[in-house]
Amino acid sequence: HIAADFEWSRAAFSVAASPLLIAMALGAPLAGTLAERFGSRWVLTGSALLLAASLGSVGLVAELWHLMLLMVGFGLALSGLGDVVTGAVASRWVSRRRGMALGLVFIGSNVGGALVPIAAEAMASHEDWRFAITWIGIGTATLIFPFALFAVRDRPTGEPTDPAGNSSVTPHPSLTLPAAIRTRSFWILAFLLTTFYFYYIAVNVHLVALLTDLGISDARAAASLGFAVALGIVAKLASGAVADRFDTRRVLMANFALVALASGLLMGAG
Protein backbone atom coordinates (compact mmCIF):
# COMPACT_ATOMS: atom_id res chain seq x y z
CA HIS A 1 0.00 0.00 0.00
CA ILE A 2 2.77 2.47 0.90
CA ALA A 3 4.75 1.92 -2.30
CA ALA A 4 1.62 2.18 -4.44
CA ASP A 5 0.42 5.35 -2.72
CA PHE A 6 3.71 7.16 -3.34
CA GLU A 7 4.26 5.47 -6.72
CA TRP A 8 7.60 4.12 -5.56
CA SER A 9 9.12 1.21 -7.41
CA ARG A 10 9.72 -2.02 -5.54
CA ALA A 11 13.43 -1.44 -5.88
CA ALA A 12 13.10 1.95 -4.18
CA PHE A 13 10.92 0.50 -1.44
CA SER A 14 13.47 -2.27 -0.86
CA VAL A 15 16.24 0.31 -0.54
CA ALA A 16 14.11 2.16 2.01
CA ALA A 17 13.70 -1.05 3.99
CA SER A 18 17.42 -1.88 3.98
CA PRO A 19 18.24 0.29 7.04
CA LEU A 20 15.98 -2.05 9.01
CA LEU A 21 18.42 -4.93 8.59
CA ILE A 22 21.45 -2.77 9.34
CA ALA A 23 19.84 -1.34 12.47
CA MET A 24 18.86 -4.81 13.68
CA ALA A 25 22.42 -6.06 13.13
CA LEU A 26 23.99 -3.15 15.02
CA GLY A 27 21.21 -3.04 17.59
CA ALA A 28 21.52 -6.65 18.76
CA PRO A 29 24.92 -6.28 20.51
CA LEU A 30 23.84 -2.87 21.81
CA ALA A 31 20.65 -4.33 23.29
CA GLY A 32 22.62 -7.17 24.89
CA THR A 33 25.13 -4.76 26.42
CA LEU A 34 22.42 -2.48 27.77
CA ALA A 35 20.48 -5.44 29.18
CA GLU A 36 23.55 -6.61 31.08
CA ARG A 37 24.27 -3.12 32.38
CA PHE A 38 20.80 -1.82 33.21
CA GLY A 39 18.56 -4.89 33.17
CA SER A 40 16.35 -6.47 30.52
CA ARG A 41 13.17 -4.84 31.80
CA TRP A 42 14.40 -1.34 30.98
CA VAL A 43 15.67 -2.37 27.55
CA LEU A 44 12.32 -3.99 26.73
CA THR A 45 10.39 -0.99 28.05
CA GLY A 46 12.44 1.53 26.07
CA SER A 47 12.27 -0.61 22.95
CA ALA A 48 8.48 -0.88 23.22
CA LEU A 49 8.23 2.93 23.34
CA LEU A 50 10.61 3.27 20.37
CA LEU A 51 8.61 0.73 18.37
CA ALA A 52 5.33 2.51 19.12
CA ALA A 53 6.84 5.88 18.19
CA SER A 54 8.31 4.53 14.95
CA LEU A 55 5.05 2.92 13.88
CA GLY A 56 3.02 5.95 14.91
CA SER A 57 5.25 8.22 12.85
CA VAL A 58 4.92 6.24 9.61
CA GLY A 59 1.73 8.15 8.84
CA LEU A 60 3.83 11.33 8.60
CA VAL A 61 6.04 9.93 5.83
CA ALA A 62 6.18 12.14 2.75
CA GLU A 63 9.55 11.24 1.23
CA LEU A 64 11.52 8.04 0.79
CA TRP A 65 14.22 9.16 3.21
CA HIS A 66 11.58 9.66 5.90
CA LEU A 67 10.76 5.97 5.69
CA MET A 68 14.44 5.04 5.74
CA LEU A 69 14.92 7.04 8.95
CA LEU A 70 11.94 5.36 10.60
CA MET A 71 13.27 1.97 9.57
CA VAL A 72 16.37 2.66 11.68
CA GLY A 73 14.20 3.25 14.75
CA PHE A 74 12.08 0.25 13.89
CA GLY A 75 15.14 -1.99 13.57
CA LEU A 76 16.65 -0.82 16.86
CA ALA A 77 13.32 -1.40 18.59
CA LEU A 78 13.01 -4.93 17.20
CA SER A 79 16.54 -5.70 18.41
CA GLY A 80 15.63 -4.55 21.90
CA LEU A 81 12.47 -6.65 21.89
CA GLY A 82 14.08 -9.60 20.13
CA ASP A 83 15.66 -12.91 20.90
CA VAL A 84 18.81 -11.56 22.56
CA VAL A 85 17.03 -9.84 25.44
CA THR A 86 13.97 -12.06 25.83
CA GLY A 87 16.09 -15.20 25.48
CA ALA A 88 18.45 -13.98 28.21
CA VAL A 89 15.55 -13.47 30.61
CA ALA A 90 14.04 -16.87 29.86
CA SER A 91 17.40 -18.62 30.24
CA ARG A 92 17.88 -17.13 33.72
CA TRP A 93 14.51 -18.41 34.87
CA VAL A 94 14.65 -21.88 33.30
CA SER A 95 17.46 -24.43 33.41
CA ARG A 96 15.59 -27.66 32.62
CA ARG A 97 13.93 -28.12 29.23
CA ARG A 98 15.32 -24.77 28.21
CA GLY A 99 14.71 -25.44 24.51
CA MET A 100 10.97 -25.75 25.05
CA ALA A 101 10.97 -22.70 27.31
CA LEU A 102 12.70 -20.60 24.68
CA GLY A 103 10.32 -21.93 22.04
CA LEU A 104 7.35 -20.78 24.14
CA VAL A 105 8.89 -17.33 24.58
CA PHE A 106 9.82 -16.89 20.93
CA ILE A 107 6.39 -17.82 19.54
CA GLY A 108 5.19 -14.40 20.65
CA SER A 109 6.68 -12.86 17.52
CA ASN A 110 4.87 -15.45 15.41
CA VAL A 111 1.52 -14.77 17.05
CA GLY A 112 1.92 -11.07 16.35
CA GLY A 113 3.33 -11.73 12.89
CA ALA A 114 0.32 -13.89 12.03
CA LEU A 115 -2.32 -11.47 13.30
CA VAL A 116 -0.86 -8.05 12.46
CA PRO A 117 -0.79 -8.41 8.62
CA ILE A 118 -4.41 -9.52 8.59
CA ALA A 119 -5.51 -6.74 10.94
CA ALA A 120 -3.44 -4.16 9.06
CA GLU A 121 -4.91 -5.18 5.69
CA ALA A 122 -8.44 -5.05 7.11
CA MET A 123 -7.89 -1.54 8.54
CA ALA A 124 -6.14 -0.34 5.38
CA SER A 125 -9.03 -1.58 3.24
CA HIS A 126 -11.54 0.16 5.50
CA GLU A 127 -9.56 3.42 5.87
CA ASP A 128 -5.98 3.65 4.57
CA TRP A 129 -2.49 2.42 5.41
CA ARG A 130 -1.73 5.46 7.58
CA PHE A 131 -4.71 4.70 9.78
CA ALA A 132 -3.74 1.03 9.99
CA ILE A 133 -0.11 1.56 10.98
CA THR A 134 -1.00 4.31 13.47
CA TRP A 135 -3.37 2.00 15.30
CA ILE A 136 -0.82 -0.79 15.27
CA GLY A 137 1.55 1.64 16.98
CA ILE A 138 -1.10 2.50 19.56
CA GLY A 139 -1.70 -1.19 20.16
CA THR A 140 2.03 -1.73 20.66
CA ALA A 141 2.18 0.99 23.31
CA THR A 142 -0.94 -0.33 25.00
CA LEU A 143 0.05 -4.00 25.16
CA ILE A 144 3.84 -4.37 25.14
CA PHE A 145 4.89 -1.32 27.16
CA PRO A 146 3.00 -2.03 30.43
CA PHE A 147 3.88 -5.73 30.27
CA ALA A 148 7.58 -4.96 29.85
CA LEU A 149 7.54 -2.37 32.64
CA PHE A 150 5.50 -4.20 35.26
CA ALA A 151 5.71 -7.93 34.49
CA VAL A 152 9.29 -8.61 33.37
CA ARG A 153 11.77 -9.69 36.05
CA ASP A 154 15.37 -10.25 35.04
CA ARG A 155 15.94 -13.21 37.35
CA PRO A 156 14.20 -15.15 40.13
CA THR A 157 14.07 -13.34 43.47
CA GLY A 158 16.96 -14.34 45.72
CA GLU A 159 19.22 -15.63 42.96
CA PRO A 160 22.79 -14.72 43.91
CA THR A 161 24.56 -12.22 41.69
CA ASP A 162 28.10 -10.98 41.29
CA PRO A 163 29.06 -7.34 42.06
CA ALA A 164 28.09 -6.32 38.52
CA GLY A 165 24.56 -7.65 39.06
CA ASN A 166 24.96 -10.70 36.82
CA SER A 167 23.78 -14.09 37.93
CA SER A 168 26.43 -16.13 39.67
CA VAL A 169 24.47 -19.32 39.04
CA THR A 170 25.50 -20.74 35.67
CA PRO A 171 24.17 -24.26 34.93
CA HIS A 172 26.60 -24.53 32.00
CA PRO A 173 30.14 -23.19 31.55
CA SER A 174 30.11 -19.80 29.86
CA LEU A 175 32.65 -17.70 28.00
CA THR A 176 33.34 -14.00 28.21
CA LEU A 177 32.76 -12.04 25.00
CA PRO A 178 36.50 -11.69 24.18
CA ALA A 179 36.95 -15.44 24.68
CA ALA A 180 33.90 -16.28 22.57
CA ILE A 181 35.10 -14.08 19.69
CA ARG A 182 38.28 -16.14 19.49
CA THR A 183 36.35 -19.36 18.83
CA ARG A 184 35.48 -20.75 15.42
CA SER A 185 31.92 -21.55 16.52
CA PHE A 186 31.20 -17.88 17.20
CA TRP A 187 32.05 -16.83 13.65
CA ILE A 188 30.24 -19.77 12.06
CA LEU A 189 27.06 -18.86 13.93
CA ALA A 190 27.53 -15.17 13.11
CA PHE A 191 27.81 -15.98 9.40
CA LEU A 192 24.79 -18.30 9.46
CA LEU A 193 22.56 -15.82 11.25
CA THR A 194 23.68 -12.91 9.06
CA THR A 195 22.90 -14.72 5.82
CA PHE A 196 19.65 -16.11 7.22
CA TYR A 197 18.33 -12.69 8.17
CA PHE A 198 19.13 -11.29 4.73
CA TYR A 199 16.89 -14.05 3.39
CA TYR A 200 14.25 -13.62 6.09
CA ILE A 201 13.84 -9.87 5.65
CA ALA A 202 13.77 -10.18 1.85
CA VAL A 203 10.97 -12.74 1.98
CA ASN A 204 8.96 -10.67 4.45
CA VAL A 205 9.28 -7.55 2.29
CA HIS A 206 8.51 -9.15 -1.06
CA LEU A 207 6.26 -12.17 -0.42
CA VAL A 208 2.95 -10.30 -0.47
CA ALA A 209 4.01 -8.46 -3.65
CA LEU A 210 4.92 -11.79 -5.27
CA LEU A 211 1.56 -13.29 -4.40
CA THR A 212 -0.36 -10.30 -5.76
CA ASP A 213 1.66 -10.54 -8.98
CA LEU A 214 0.37 -14.10 -9.26
CA GLY A 215 -3.20 -12.79 -9.19
CA ILE A 216 -3.95 -13.25 -5.50
CA SER A 217 -5.91 -10.46 -3.79
CA ASP A 218 -4.26 -8.23 -1.20
CA ALA A 219 -6.38 -9.71 1.58
CA ARG A 220 -5.54 -13.31 0.64
CA ALA A 221 -1.86 -12.46 0.21
CA ALA A 222 -1.74 -10.90 3.68
CA ALA A 223 -3.59 -13.91 5.09
CA SER A 224 -1.09 -16.24 3.39
CA LEU A 225 1.81 -14.40 5.00
CA GLY A 226 0.04 -14.57 8.34
CA PHE A 227 -0.54 -18.31 7.92
CA ALA A 228 3.11 -18.90 7.07
CA VAL A 229 4.19 -17.00 10.16
CA ALA A 230 1.64 -18.89 12.26
CA LEU A 231 3.22 -22.18 11.18
CA GLY A 232 6.34 -20.92 12.91
CA ILE A 233 4.53 -21.39 16.23
CA VAL A 234 4.44 -25.13 15.72
CA ALA A 235 7.96 -25.11 14.30
CA LYS A 236 9.47 -23.25 17.26
CA LEU A 237 7.77 -25.46 19.81
CA ALA A 238 8.83 -28.59 17.94
CA SER A 239 12.40 -27.34 17.52
CA GLY A 240 12.62 -26.50 21.21
CA ALA A 241 11.36 -29.92 22.23
CA VAL A 242 13.73 -31.68 19.84
CA ALA A 243 16.69 -29.53 20.96
CA ASP A 244 16.09 -30.67 24.54
CA ARG A 245 16.57 -34.29 23.46
CA PHE A 246 19.10 -34.21 20.64
CA ASP A 247 22.31 -32.49 19.61
CA THR A 248 21.44 -28.84 18.95
CA ARG A 249 23.84 -28.72 16.01
CA ARG A 250 21.87 -31.40 14.19
CA VAL A 251 18.61 -29.60 14.97
CA LEU A 252 20.06 -26.39 13.54
CA MET A 253 21.22 -28.21 10.39
CA ALA A 254 17.74 -29.66 9.94
CA ASN A 255 16.19 -26.20 10.25
CA PHE A 256 18.48 -24.73 7.60
CA ALA A 257 17.77 -27.69 5.33
CA LEU A 258 14.04 -26.91 5.58
CA VAL A 259 14.74 -23.25 4.75
CA ALA A 260 16.65 -24.35 1.64
CA LEU A 261 13.79 -26.67 0.62
CA ALA A 262 11.21 -23.92 1.11
CA SER A 263 13.33 -21.53 -0.97
CA GLY A 264 13.37 -23.99 -3.84
CA LEU A 265 9.59 -24.37 -3.69
CA LEU A 266 9.16 -20.59 -3.58
CA MET A 267 11.26 -20.18 -6.73
CA GLY A 268 8.84 -22.48 -8.53
CA ALA A 269 5.73 -20.58 -7.42
CA GLY A 270 3.42 -19.66 -10.25
Side-chain angles (χ1 to χ4, degrees):
H1 289 283
I2 298 176
D5 192 24
F6 287 104
E7 298 183 347
W8 293 336
S9 67
R10 289 181 184 171
F13 187 74
S14 298
V15 170
S18 61
L20 171 66
L21 186 60
I22 298 172
M24 289 179 66
L26 298 178
L30 175 63
T33 300
L34 292 176
E36 288 183 348
R37 187 172 181 83
F38 300 107
S40 299
R41 178 174 62 167
W42 298 113
V43 174
L44 292 169
T45 300
S47 298
L49 287 176
L50 179 58
L51 179 62
S54 298
L55 289 171
S57 300
V58 171
L60 303 176
V61 167
E63 302 287 344
L64 190 64
W65 69 268
H66 296 167
L67 183 60
M68 296 177 71
L69 185 62
L70 288 176
M71 284 295 180
V72 174
F74 190 47
L76 292 175
L78 290 179
S79 293
L81 293 168
D83 296 351
V84 173
V85 179
T86 56
V89 175
S91 296
R92 292 191 189 107
W93 280 85
V94 180
S95 57
R96 297 183 58 193
R97 302 194 67 187
R98 184 172 289 170
M100 176 58 76
L102 291 173
L104 287 168
V105 170
F106 293 157
I107 64 174
S109 60
N110 292 82
V111 173
L115 297 178
V116 168
I118 299 173
E121 178 60 33
M123 288 187 288
S125 299
H126 181 69
E127 294 287 341
D128 60 16
W129 62 266
R130 298 177 188 272
F131 175 87
I133 297 179
T134 297
W135 276 100
I136 291 172
I138 292 172
T140 298
T142 303
L143 297 175
I144 302 179
F145 172 74
F147 183 84
L149 182 60
F150 298 112
V152 172
R153 294 293 179 267
D154 281 270
R155 56 181 53 83
T157 303
E159 179 181 307
T161 59
D162 62 21
N166 299 314
S167 172
S168 61
V169 178
T170 54
H172 300 288
S174 59
L175 296 174
T176 63
L177 178 59
I181 290 176
R182 289 194 294 268
T183 64
R184 183 180 65 174
S185 296
F186 177 90
W187 292 107
I188 291 175
L189 288 173
F191 173 77
L192 289 175
L193 290 175
T194 299
T195 53
F196 169 74
Y197 272 101
F198 269 109
Y199 168 86
Y200 175 76
I201 296 296
V203 170
N204 272 353
V205 171
H206 296 288
L207 181 60
V208 171
L210 170 65
L211 294 177
T212 55
D213 283 348
L214 296 175
I216 298 174
S217 67
D218 288 344
R220 284 191 61 192
S224 298
L225 176 60
F227 177 71
V229 175
L231 287 178
I233 297 174
V234 178
K236 286 182 178 179
L237 292 177
S239 296
V242 172
D244 284 331
R245 297 177 59 88
F246 300 100
D247 185 349
T248 53
R249 291 172 298 180
R250 295 185 182 276
V251 177
L252 188 61
M253 289 173 61
N255 277 316
F256 278 112
L258 288 174
V259 170
L261 176 61
S263 302
L265 295 175
L266 187 61
M267 291 176 63

